[in-house]
Amino acid sequence: SFHIAYKFLTEPKYAMVSLDFMMRGVPEWQRILAKQAWPVSANLMSKFIQLNEKLGENLKVADETFALVERKLRENGGPFICGGKISAADISFASLAYPLVLPPEQEKNYVGLDDKDLHPGYAEVVRRYRSTVAGQYV
């Protein structure tokens, strides 16, 4: 899921805006250091992790994972992935799915779907996953 988000957040036109999203609530000295390193880091991440080349593959894995979570919620009768009690599965899924859903209650801490500077492709991905049962679970 992070690879999908990084694909959009590291594109040159959006890289510095994305850094502002990621640096909310971070100490000033870290913000200054990150602003110096981010353009190079974003470029290296894009190339070495092959963010553009593997987007389709990463979306397929995310689709399969969201479908599995939806199926488990239905089979186990919820309200959690493994049934009646919260488990590591719930915490892991919510943590890893976060960049694909961008929960509205966390907009002040990171970025919101309606943020005017959000990459349109990323916004489309977030809308797609928010609309799923698993996405609403996050």
Side-chain angles (χ1 to χ4, degrees), residues 85-105:
K85 291 173 53 177
I86 194 166
S87 69
D90 302 285
I91 295 166
S92 296
F93 177 71
S95 299
L96 295 171
Y98 177 90
L100 298 180
V101 178
L102 297 179
E105 59 273 10

Side-chain angles (χ1 to χ4, degrees), residues 78-135:
F80 301 106
I81 294 171
C82 294
K85 291 173 53 177
I86 194 166
S87 69
D90 302 285
I91 295 166
S92 296
F93 177 71
S95 299
L96 295 171
Y98 177 90
L100 298 180
V101 178
L102 297 179
E105 59 273 10
Q106 292 297 318
E107 288 180 3
K108 67 181 181 302
N109 298 320
Y110 185 56
V111 62
L113 181 57
D114 296 325
D115 196 302
K116 65 179 176 52
D117 293 320
L118 188 65
H119 188 296
Y122 187 28
E124 182 180 320
V125 167
V126 171
R127 281 188 194 90
R128 171 179 164 188
Y129 287 107
R130 264 193 191 181
S131 70
T132 67
V133 169

